[in-house]
Every structure is written in structure tokens, then in C-alpha cells.
Amino acid sequence: MKIAIDIREAGKGKAGKGWYTFNLVEEIIAQGKEDEFILYTQGDEKSATFFEKHKNCQIKVVSSTGLKWHLEVLKDLKKLNPDLFFAPTSYIIPALAPKRLKTVITIHDLVAYLFPKSHALKATLIERITLHRALKKASAIFVVSENTKKDLLKRFRYPETKIYLTYCAAASAYSQKQTPDQLEETRKKLELPSNFVLAVGTLEPRKNFATLIKSFVIIKRKNPDYKLVIVGKKGWNWGEIDQAVKEYGLEGEVIFTGYLEDSELHRVYGLAKVFVFPSIYEGFGIPPIEAMASGCPVVSSNAASLPEVVGESGLLVDPHNALKIADAVCSLISNDSLRNMFIERGYEQSKKFNWKKSAETALEVFHKIKYPQP
């Protein structure tokens, strides 16, 4: 098969959708040795260079931006006529594509429909305009959780038989053991305290860090030597998080590291006493899996897909209740046996999700579209 894929999000500064694209496409290419892959990117040398190691890949760098990028790629697709175009993060090309071009899209979440006020207006409008049309044309749909599938079926009329689950997972780096010297090296480099609670995610309203900061006031009263460390790049409307720090007088008590790459983030998970993920809505939520694979006990929101991801391997709490979040964190700080129990459970839970299995599903679907069974 000749399979074209949009890999723009697989470059530097990756968040959830970027890691999905990077890891899933890497595994698809590794498994699809008899297939030919055409990878479209946007001038990000890092993502292009990584995939160049595969002999069955052709990298196409389209330097345009915005709608022009999609139109230029679409024009090239019409010339090359691949068997299929896979869009792991965007609905624009599938929405505009002619019927003869078979498409597969991934739906990570329906935040643009369910929580539009927690999402950037431009992104919300684009998703609302393009998703419905992309669904009508798509030969198959990938979803990253059963919860996203449920949301999709509730909102749209799409054949359930054409929806396939491609779970996210932690990258292989998170299962590697870290030595005390490596951990200490990272602590010194990032100037991290001896005791801290960790949160990871793009700084935006949906991640609910403002409520976490409110809960940290309570955590701090019971554990005065602890600080809160938040890892992630600034996103849409991130200023409300900074405002919450000032409102609760926590300047100097909340540390923002910015974005960290895998190897460094893995060590930060290893240094943290507890990991907290208070998100209001997630299609999947990769950080809790990364934390569990790294041996850090998890307190997670009980909303959307997160009970499916965390299972019984972490403490699930109401993300809107700062007191419940604080109680859960404090219980893991003060009770070593409870903490160790969740560390062990977390290791096992993280193993249930792997990119190899999701890639196998993806390739089976691609080939089923090309060679349909009677």
C-alpha cells in the first residue's frame, strides 16, 4: 500500500496529540515494512529527520502555513494518488478531499463540542466546521479511548463498525530505570526541591491547574516543606493559572519548569512524591500513564476517559473539589504503604497500553480499506 500521513504534530514541543502521532506513526512504519509511506510535515527538521531512518518513507516538507499548507498537500495527494491518507490530528484535508481519496482520521476528544469555553475559539470553530464533513467521507475512524467513542456516537451518526480503538501509551523511555545519580543531576539542573507534588500538561483552562493551585493551599498547610511543580508549555489563556498563584499567595511555592523532553520528564516523575492530573476533560490523558510507568503514584480526575486510563491504580477524585484533591494527595504523602501499593499497581496498569498494539490495529484497518473482504 501507499499510505500518506500528516506528521506535523510529531516535531518539537509535542503535547498529547503530537506524542500520539510520533509514537503511533513510528510503530506503523516499523511494522508496515511492505508498505510505502509518504509523510507530510511543515518544515520541522526534527520530525522529518527522525522518520528518515526508515527506507520505506518519503518525507515531503511543505513550508506553507495555515489553510495554504493543507491545500498544497491536497494538490500533491491528487498527483500521487495514494491508497489512503491518514490524518492523526487534523480534519481539514479529510473534509476537503475528493471522494476517491480514502481517508482515516483520529478523533482524540470532542472538547470543541462538550467544553468549547475551555478551548481556543479559532480551534473550536475549525473543528466544528471540518469534523462533520470529515466524518461523512472517512473510511474509518480511530479513537483513543472508549470514552471518546461514546462521546462520538452520542453526538454524530457514524457506523460503530467503522470505529477502532487506538489507545495512547507512554513512550518506551518511561519504563527505563533511573539511577540516584541521574535523578540528582536533574534535580540540580532544574533547581527542584527535595519534596514536591508534580503536575504535567499544557497550561490551559481545561487542565484545571487553577483548582490544583487552590488545593495546594491545603496541602501546604499539612506539608509546609512541599512545593508544587508544574511542567508544560504555555497554552491558550494560561494567564488564569498565574493569577491563581498570586490570588492564593503562593509565589515561590509553585514552580513552572516549562516544557521538558521525555528523558528529563521521566526523571522529574521519579523525583516527585505524588503526581496529580486534575483535568476536566481528556480524550485519553498520557501523563498519568507516564507517571505510573515512572514509579510515581497518581491522583487523577475522575472525569471523561481518566477512570478508563487510570483504573484502580490511582486515586480518582472530583476535579472541581479542591478539598478532595488535597485529601488524596496528603494521604499518599503521609502513608508510605498506600503510596507503595499504588506505585506497584501503576507499573502494571501502564503495561496495558502500548503503541505496538495500536499500530497493529491501524495497519489492519488500512489494509482492510484497501482490500475489503466480501
Side-chain angles (χ1 to χ4, degrees), residues 35-221:
D35 298 308
E36 178 187 348
F37 296 92
I38 306 161
L39 309 181
Y40 289 94
T41 188
Q42 199 171 21
D44 187 324
E45 294 178 8
K46 186 172 181 181
S47 63
T49 303
F50 181 84
F51 291 110
E52 279 175 351
K53 67 184 181 183
H54 297 285
K55 294 180 180 179
N56 54 344
C57 282
Q58 178 185 0
I59 309 291
K60 292 243 176 182
V61 179
V62 179
S63 57
S64 302
T65 58
L67 182 60
K68 191 176 179 183
W69 185 90
H70 296 88
L71 293 175
E72 287 192 24
V73 170
L74 194 54
K75 184 179 178 181
D76 197 58
L77 289 169
K78 288 175 182 177
K79 283 194 293 185
L80 293 175
N81 194 29
D83 295 301
L84 179 144
F85 178 75
F86 174 39
T89 57
S90 171
Y91 311 132
I92 296 175
I93 289 176
L96 298 175
K99 286 186 178 180
R100 64 181 175 82
L101 177 60
K102 291 182 170 64
T103 59
V104 174
I105 63 175
T106 296
I107 297 178
H108 293 265
D109 56 54
L110 290 181
V111 67
Y113 292 85
L114 302 177
F115 296 92
K117 291 183 180 179
S118 70
H119 204 40
L121 179 60
K122 182 180 177 181
T124 297
L125 290 174
I126 291 172
E127 285 188 31
R128 285 182 168 237
I129 290 167
T130 58
L131 177 54
H132 186 67
R133 189 175 177 86
L135 281 169
K136 283 185 175 181
K137 295 183 177 184
S139 298
I141 304 295
F142 294 159
V143 293
V144 297
S145 65
E146 291 287 357
N147 188 76
T148 296
K149 178 180 177 180
K150 181 189 73 175
D151 289 344
L152 174 63
L153 291 171
K154 190 174 180 180
R155 174 67 63 163
F156 297 98
R157 290 182 180 178
Y158 189 84
E160 187 173 356
T161 54
K162 290 186 176 182
I163 302 174
Y164 299 88
L165 185 61
T166 53
Y167 272 129
C168 299
S172 58
Y174 291 95
S175 60
Q176 296 173 5
K177 295 291 184 183
Q178 299 287 344
T179 67
D181 286 346
Q182 287 174 322
L183 294 174
E184 193 56 35
E185 179 187 342
T186 297
R187 187 193 301 280
K188 288 178 179 176
K189 179 182 174 182
L190 299 177
E191 298 180 349
L192 298 175
S194 298
N195 294 313
F196 65 91
V197 174
L198 175 66
V200 175
T202 302
L203 306 185
E204 59 186 11
R206 180 164 57 98
K207 301 301 181 181
N208 199 30
F209 290 140
T211 302
L212 174 58
I213 289 165
K214 181 180 179 181
S215 77
F216 191 67
V217 175
I218 304 166
I219 296 166
K220 186 76 178 170
R221 284 193 202 124

Side-chain angles (χ1 to χ4, degrees), residues 299-369:
V299 172
S300 170
S301 160
N302 63 6
S305 65
L306 292 166
E308 180 182 347
V309 173
V310 176
E312 296 182 354
S313 302
L315 292 174
L316 297 172
V317 295
D318 178 356
H320 301 288
N321 192 321
L323 181 58
K324 291 270 173 97
I325 295 172
D327 284 347
V329 171
C330 290
S331 69
L332 289 174
I333 289 174
S334 63
N335 189 329
D336 283 342
S337 61
L338 184 68
R339 186 171 177 276
N340 290 332
M341 181 187 76
F342 280 115
I343 288 173
E344 290 304 315
R345 286 187 184 181
Y347 279 132
E348 296 308 310
Q349 181 72 1
S350 68
K351 294 175 187 175
K352 294 178 183 178
F353 304 93
N354 66 80
W355 294 112
K356 183 178 180 180
K357 191 185 298 182
S358 293
E360 286 171 357
T361 299
L363 276 172
E364 284 175 13
V365 172
F366 294 163
H367 284 265
K368 190 186 294 185
I369 292 168

Side-chain angles (χ1 to χ4, degrees), residues 252-265:
E253 302 300 323
V254 181
I255 300 167
F256 296 95
T257 68
Y259 182 84
L260 298 178
E261 293 290 348
D262 266 357
S263 57
E264 207 158 47
L265 179 56

